[in-house]
Amino acid sequence: MKQVHYTSGLPRSCSTLLQNLLAQNSLIHATATSGVHEIMYLSKAFFKTDEFRSIPNAKTGEAIFLDFMRAGIRNAFDSITDRPVVVDKSRSWIGSATLLFQLFPDAKILVPVRDIRGVLSSMEKKFQAHPGFQTENSQVDTARLQTVEGRCQFWMDTAPVGIAVQRLHEVARLHKDKVHFVHAESLTSDPQATMSKVWEYMGMDPIIHNVSNIEQYTHEHELGWPHGDHSVRSEVTPLVPDWDKILGRNLSEGIHQKFNWIQNL
């Protein structure tokens, strides 16, 4: 039975880099975005069934669900890896943090975060590099996509950015003392010190990381292309705070004032 931890946070915040640094520890299987959370999410449909309603005591049905999910999560990776510790990545885990801590009170959740100006700047650069790409949401809201201000607001109102910020705000409100925020800026500027804090939080001995020649351990289907590329550079280099250039100084300042709380996590 494996020990399972979790990575879940903001998009464009170096979660893929984090996973691949974790996997440099031979004890850890770090996943790309996996379907384990969605299996749990779909299993919640049990509470809508006639079978659940036929159980004399609803709490018994809830206990069945919880025990089922505990066993399922703990054993989900048995045929995938021999490594005894799994760090499962899904951006949805922080949206289910309360349930996760009910299942596993000692669960460890790594939460990658980044200055929202950097997140939106990264989104804008992807937009400029692939101007023909449209999502279903953007096809019905083309008016807002005509300006950088409109695009930023669109991304803040929709997935993957908007819902991730909402989830982050809630997990910080309810579980700030249980999760560990990993700032992308620190991870890329001082990866060894940042990862030492990660290992301490996880209760594991730190390792010396190779940050000059990272071998990619995770491999992911690019369902979120072009905004969700998940390849890592072989060498860790600091993020460049280019938001004034990409978004404009006035817009950047407004974003900073509204979302500066993220930098204080």
Side-chain angles (χ1 to χ4, degrees):
M1 187 174 296
K2 301 185 188 302
Q3 187 177 25
V4 185
H5 301 310
Y6 310 88
T7 292
S8 183
L10 295 179
R12 313 302 304 162
S13 296
C14 299
S15 61
T16 301
L17 172 61
L18 174 60
Q19 291 297 93
N20 281 275
L21 289 173
L22 288 167
Q24 288 185 345
N25 187 327
S26 61
L27 297 175
I28 288 186
H29 173 68
T31 76
T33 299
S34 87
V36 173
H37 176 274
E38 298 314 302
I39 293 172
M40 183 179 74
Y41 181 80
L42 293 172
S43 296
K44 290 181 180 180
F46 165 64
F47 293 104
K48 302 176 184 178
T49 63
D50 291 338
E51 286 75 11
F52 170 72
R53 296 187 181 96
S54 69
I55 297 173
N57 188 334
K59 290 183 178 180
T60 300
E62 183 181 38
I64 291 171
F65 168 80
L66 295 173
D67 286 342
F68 179 83
M69 291 316 309
R70 286 189 189 98
I73 292 172
R74 283 172 175 159
N75 295 281
F77 303 94
D78 287 352
S79 63
I80 296 175
T81 180
D82 292 329
R83 296 187 177 193
V85 181
V86 174
V87 181
D88 184 64
K89 175 186 169 184
S90 171
R91 205 164 290 137
S92 298
W93 279 121
I94 56 172
S96 298
T98 298
L99 174 55
L100 190 57
F101 286 125
Q102 183 182 16
L103 292 168
F104 306 107
D106 296 326
K108 305 295 185 182
I109 306 180
L110 301 171
V111 184
V113 295
R114 182 181 180 182
D115 191 312
I116 284 294
R117 294 174 294 181
V119 173
L120 294 174
S121 175
S122 180
M123 296 287 288
E124 175 66 13
K125 285 185 285 188
K126 293 296 182 183
F127 177 86
Q128 295 297 338
H130 305 278
F133 178 78
Q134 285 188 322
T135 64
E136 291 183 8
N137 286 339
S138 64
Q139 287 175 328
V140 298
D141 197 3
T142 56
R144 282 203 292 177
L145 301 183
Q146 303 309 305
T147 65
V148 64
E149 293 84 358
R151 288 190 290 274
C152 286
Q153 188 59 58
F154 175 80
W155 291 323
M156 291 304 303
D157 289 344
T158 59
V161 182
I163 191 172
V165 172
Q166 293 173 6
R167 289 167 171 166
L168 178 63
H169 187 275
E170 189 70 355
V171 80
R173 184 180 72 87
L174 295 175
H175 305 295
K176 188 175 182 178
D177 59 331
K178 291 185 177 182
V179 305
H180 183 73
F181 300 100
V182 183
H183 289 263
E185 295 84 357
S186 298
L187 184 63
T188 56
S189 63
D190 195 351
Q192 187 63 51
T194 303
M195 290 303 298
S196 292
K197 294 178 181 178
V198 168
W199 295 121
E200 180 181 3
Y201 165 72
M202 293 178 64
M204 300 181 68
D205 293 332
I207 66 171
I208 302 300
H209 289 276
N210 184 348
V211 298
S212 299
N213 186 25
I214 299 176
E215 295 183 13
Q216 181 127 11
Y217 183 87
T218 63
H219 299 280
E220 189 155 347
H221 291 293
E222 301 302 344
L223 297 178
W225 186 91
H227 297 116
D229 55 332
H230 294 96
S231 59
V232 294
R233 298 174 182 175
S234 60
E235 183 175 3
V236 179
T237 57
L239 294 172
V240 177
D242 58 359
W243 42 73
D244 283 354
K245 177 182 177 182
I246 302 300
L247 305 179
R249 184 174 180 82
N250 290 338
L251 178 57
S252 294
E253 284 299 317
I255 294 170
H256 178 64
Q257 291 177 14
K258 186 173 182 179
F259 295 101
N260 189 45
W261 59 269
I262 293 174
Q263 296 305 100
N264 296 322
L265 293 174

